[in-house]
């Protein structure tokens, strides 16, 4: 359907402000499509309206010509509705004038489907549409419902058990009539595009839109870890899979066998997820920076690694990674909320291609610079970062970013001190968290008691984040606060959670306090559980809502503690086994 461009001048606007805008339709043949049932007329060439934008036009600055008139061109959205026109005018002397009027977009014959917001698998529904005539004569013709798979755009009328897709209608002038179709929503289709079109003599109209089909099923993942020690043979039986034939309702989605001799591969697979965080908060901007830094380090660490990624990227069909579903962002968002597995890679080659795109050196450089620029822009004059730009400074977000920079430096992924832009950000941020810990200490001193346990997670997190940058001098007045909380960590570590003990052990160790970190490691080893299948873990490591209660993060932090403090390789290997099994 083509919509006429609307050009409104000063004189023309006076004619249209209280009038009606008729949509101009050209019946150019569209893609071939066919419905089910008795077809008496070919309606596949009737153009359907698809643009239902709520805003017709917006342009912030228009200038008058020599006659004081303003003209502009815009596309009228194809919704058949009443529009409100608002305008504001300014002179050079800042005189202001406003106007508000209304207009209607309509056609001599209009098709208005009454579609639901979504379908659900297994439901039986009656899909209705209204046909309205605004012409001076009665109208009669045929109306047809087309159904397509939204991802492949193949006809699916039979899947919906649609009979009599095309129906005759008659409508008197100035009146409406309704038509209906009975549908049975099938299983296995994620979204459907419906198209309702009608033709009566010289008039035609139609409407097309896409609806998600929500599943009435829940994805359940059953996994079986397959730990095999060196120079050994073991047999495994997947009992749940073996007995799945006894269920009348189960429907298998996919079966995957994963094997890797290097657990680092799992970290590589997680990087695309970290890179595709959808929000522009500073925490996630830094996560993208962090993931890009790791990816660049991996890709540049060995030329053979980059050659592997290049070969994946250049496999056949690598340019067709985005399906129609992935290109439709609105539909994608709805489906991901209800069926988060619909965008799983269809096969291993597609998964490899997505990873190879992440490890494209040019793309990494672009993403890295973009994230770095945003972090620089969003850092406030105090040195802190807020959650989102425009919000107040956040102590936690700032410490999180300082900690992340420290990790990159500690792992030799990125030399923080050699990059002037990054090092300047880090120094300012460290100065900010030093000021916050001093304020915290003074507040306790003024309103509380220094002899009680005042060591909370923010204080423990400060000691851990600050320990990465001992070369940045702690101000003399702040040193008193730091020494106080170091003493608190020595005294009260036993009452803290697993995550808290990990923060304390690493913080004290890097502040060259050796006794308590060794006690913490010994205590953790005594309380640990061991299993050949699950490795080494702790019963108290249970998930909850707070950032310091996340099981995977806790296990990772304790692996860092065992590595930096105890150099206990056998325990570390066992703890990594838990990450690869129960932790996933």
């Amino acid at each position: 359907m083509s919509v006429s461009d609307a050009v409104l001048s000063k004189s023309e606007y006076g004619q249209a402000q209280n009038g009606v805008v008729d949509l101009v339709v050209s019946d150019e043949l569209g893609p071939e499509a066919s419905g089910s049932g008795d077809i008496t007329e070919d309606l596949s060439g009737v153009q359907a309206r698809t643009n239902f934008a709520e805003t017709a036009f917006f342009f912030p600055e228009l200038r008058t010509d020599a006659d004081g008139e303003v003209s502009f061109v815009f596309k009228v959205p194809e919704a058949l509705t009443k529009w409100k026109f608002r305008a504001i005018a300014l002179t050079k002397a800042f005189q202001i004038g406003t106007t508000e009027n209304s207009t209607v977009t309509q056609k001599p014959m209009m098709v208005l489907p009454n579609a639901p917001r979504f379908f659900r698998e297994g439901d039986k529904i009656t899909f209705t549409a209204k046909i309205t005539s605004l012409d001076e004569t009665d109208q009669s013709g045929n109306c047809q419902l087309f159904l397509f798979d939204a991802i492949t755009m193949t006809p699916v009328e039979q899947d919906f058990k649609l009979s009599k897709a095309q129906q005759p209608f008659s409508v008197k002038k100035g009146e409406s009539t309704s038509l209906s179709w009975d549908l049975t929503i099938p299983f296995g289709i994620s979204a459907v595009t419906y198209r309702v079109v009608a033709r009566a003599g010289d008039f035609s109209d139609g409407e097309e839109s896409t609806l998600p089909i929500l599943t009435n099923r829940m994805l359940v993942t059953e996994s079986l870890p397959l730990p095999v020690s060196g120079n050994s043979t073991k047999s495994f039986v997947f009992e749940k899979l073996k007995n799945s034939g006894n269920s009348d309702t189960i429907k298998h989605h996919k079966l995957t066998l994963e094997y890797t001799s290097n657990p680092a591969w799992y970290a590589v697979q997680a990087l695309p997820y970290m890179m595709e965080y959808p929000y522009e908060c500073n925490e996630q901007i830094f996560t993208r920076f962090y993931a890009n830094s790791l990816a660049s380090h991996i890709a540049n660490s060995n030329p053979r690694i980059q050659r592997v990624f290049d070969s994946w990227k250049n496999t056949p069909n690598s340019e067709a990674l985005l399906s129609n579903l992935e290109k439709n962002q609105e539909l994608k968002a709805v489906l991901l909320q209800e069926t988060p597995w619909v965008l799983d890679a269809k096969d291993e080659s597609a998964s490899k291609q997505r990873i190879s795109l992440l490890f494209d050196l040019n793309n990494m450089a672009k993403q890295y610079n973009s994230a770095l620029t945003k972090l620089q822009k969003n850092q406030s004059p105090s040195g802190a970062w807020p959650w989102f730009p425009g919000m107040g400074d956040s102590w936690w977000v700032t410490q999180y970013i300082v900690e992340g920079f420290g990790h990159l430096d500690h792992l030799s992924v990125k030399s923080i001190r050699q990059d002037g832009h990054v090092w300047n950000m880090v120094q300012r941020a460290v100065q900010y968290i030093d000021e916050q810990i001093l304020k915290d200490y003074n507040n306790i001193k003024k309103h509380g008691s220094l002899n009680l346990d005042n060591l909370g997670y923010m204080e423990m997190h400060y000691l851990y984040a600050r320990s990465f940058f001992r070369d940045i001098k702690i101000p003399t007045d702040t040193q008193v606060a730091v020494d106080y909380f170091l003493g608190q960590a020595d005294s009260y570590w036993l009452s803290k959670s697993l995550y808290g003990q990990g923060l304390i052990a690493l913080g004290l160790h890097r502040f060259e306090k050796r006794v308590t970190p060794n006690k913490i490691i010994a205590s953790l080893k005594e309380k640990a559980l061991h299993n050949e299948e699950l490795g080494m873990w702790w019963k108290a490591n249970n998930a909850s809502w707070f950032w310091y209660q996340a099981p995977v993060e806790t296990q990772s932090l304790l692996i860092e503690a065992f590595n930096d403090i105890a150099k206990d390789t056998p325990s570390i290997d066992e703890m990594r086994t838990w990450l690869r099994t129960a932790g996933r």
Side-chain angles (χ1 to χ4, degrees), residues 119 121 147-154 156 160 186 188-194 209-214 325 328 331-332 334-335 339 342:
F119 292 137
E121 290 179 339
L147 298 174
F148 304 91
D149 185 316
I151 299 176
T152 62
M153 290 306 291
T154 56
V156 289
F160 283 76
I189 299 179
S190 301
V192 62
T193 297
Y194 69 84
S209 187
T210 299
L211 298 176
I213 300 178
L214 307 187
L325 175 62
N328 188 334
L331 177 61
K332 175 181 174 181
V334 175
L335 288 179
T339 53
V342 297

Side-chain angles (χ1 to χ4, degrees), residues 34-43 141-146 157 162-168 181:
S34 62
S36 303
D38 299 329
I39 305 300
T40 60
E41 182 181 0
D42 182 12
L43 299 180
N142 292 296
C143 179
Q144 186 169 343
L145 171 63
F146 295 89
E157 286 88 355
L162 173 61
S163 61
K164 293 186 177 180
Q166 187 175 121
Q167 299 182 22
W181 296 265

Side-chain angles (χ1 to χ4, degrees), residues 304-544:
R304 290 179 297 177
I305 295 176
Q306 185 59 45
R307 285 199 294 269
V308 170
F309 292 141
D310 288 340
S311 68
W312 289 354
K313 182 174 62 177
N314 296 324
T315 53
N317 299 322
S318 61
E319 296 180 358
L321 292 179
L322 292 179
S323 66
N324 290 334
L325 175 62
E326 291 176 287
K327 294 175 184 177
N328 188 334
Q329 292 299 315
E330 182 179 355
L331 177 61
K332 175 181 174 181
V334 175
L335 288 179
L336 282 177
Q337 292 175 7
E338 301 296 335
T339 53
W341 59 90
V342 297
L343 292 185
D344 280 352
K346 299 300 182 182
D347 51 46
E348 185 179 0
S349 62
S351 178
K352 288 180 178 179
Q353 289 170 6
R354 294 177 72 90
I355 293 175
S356 70
L357 291 180
L358 166 68
F359 282 88
D360 180 83
L361 292 177
N362 292 328
N363 181 62
M364 284 190 293
K366 177 183 176 182
Q367 297 291 339
Y368 173 90
N369 291 328
S370 174
L372 180 60
T373 300
K374 289 179 181 178
L375 287 173
Q376 289 177 298
K377 179 181 177 182
N378 294 344
Q379 190 175 25
S380 68
S382 67
W385 282 278
W387 274 104
F388 284 89
M391 297 177 65
D393 295 345
S394 171
W395 184 9
W396 186 88
V397 171
T398 306
Q399 280 186 173
Y400 171 82
I401 295 177
V402 169
E403 171 195 323
F405 280 124
H407 270 141
L408 292 175
D409 188 67
H410 187 65
L411 296 172
S412 299
V413 170
K414 180 172 181 58
S415 181
I416 301 300
R417 293 160 181 80
Q418 300 303 315
D419 189 322
H421 297 295
V422 174
W423 185 235
N424 179 60
M425 284 196 300
V426 171
Q427 287 180 304
R428 294 172 57 205
V430 168
Q431 179 183 358
Y432 171 81
I433 64 174
D434 283 345
E435 293 171 354
Q436 295 306 116
I437 201 69
L438 178 59
K439 290 180 181 178
D440 187 34
Y441 171 76
N442 289 333
N443 186 59
I444 296 171
K445 188 176 179 181
K446 181 178 181 180
H447 301 288
S449 173
L450 295 176
N451 296 321
L452 299 177
D453 180 2
N454 296 307
L455 189 67
Y457 280 99
M458 288 301 296
E459 291 79 16
M460 289 184 281
H461 193 230
Y462 167 83
L463 295 178
Y464 173 70
R466 190 61 172 84
S467 68
F468 285 107
F469 300 103
R470 294 288 311 285
D471 54 330
I472 299 179
K473 182 176 176 58
I474 300 175
T476 303
D477 53 348
T478 305
Q479 186 66 57
V480 176
V482 174
D483 290 340
Y484 170 75
F485 287 114
L486 288 172
Q488 289 262 299
D490 270 324
S491 302
Y492 299 108
W493 66 268
L494 198 56
S495 63
K496 306 306 177 183
S497 68
L498 292 175
Y499 194 92
Q501 290 182 17
L503 292 174
I504 289 172
L506 287 163
L508 290 177
H509 176 74
R510 292 172 186 152
F511 273 99
E512 300 180 0
K513 312 287 185 181
R514 306 301 185 192
V515 177
T516 298
N518 290 325
K519 288 182 179 179
I520 293 175
I521 296 297
S523 174
L524 289 171
K525 292 188 69 173
E526 290 176 2
K527 294 182 291 186
L529 301 176
H530 299 265
N531 181 281
E532 182 182 12
E533 181 179 295
L534 298 178
M536 175 177 171
W537 79 103
W538 286 265
K539 188 176 181 180
N541 190 10
N542 297 319
S544 189

Side-chain angles (χ1 to χ4, degrees), residues 24 114 125 159 183 198 255 276 363 397 415 478 503 515:
V24 180
N114 183 24
I125 73 162
D159 297 289
L183 304 176
L255 175 65
E276 293 171 1
N363 181 62
V397 171
S415 181
T478 305
L503 292 174
V515 177

Side-chain angles (χ1 to χ4, degrees), residues 6-80:
V7 182
L8 298 182
S9 67
K10 182 178 178 182
S11 58
E12 291 170 320
Y13 174 70
Q15 299 171 5
Q17 58 184 345
N18 294 314
V20 172
V21 177
D22 288 330
L23 297 180
V24 180
V25 180
S26 62
D27 286 337
E28 299 174 357
L29 291 179
E32 290 297 325
S34 62
S36 303
D38 299 329
I39 305 300
T40 60
E41 182 181 0
D42 182 12
L43 299 180
S44 61
V46 176
Q47 291 279 23
R49 293 173 284 106
T50 58
N51 178 12
F52 304 109
E54 296 182 358
T55 301
F57 172 80
F58 175 79
F59 198 76
E61 183 179 0
L62 296 171
R63 297 180 181 274
T64 58
D65 58 18
D67 298 324
E69 295 184 344
V70 175
S71 64
F72 52 93
V73 178
F74 65 97
K75 291 275 188 180
V76 179
E78 298 169 321
L80 304 177

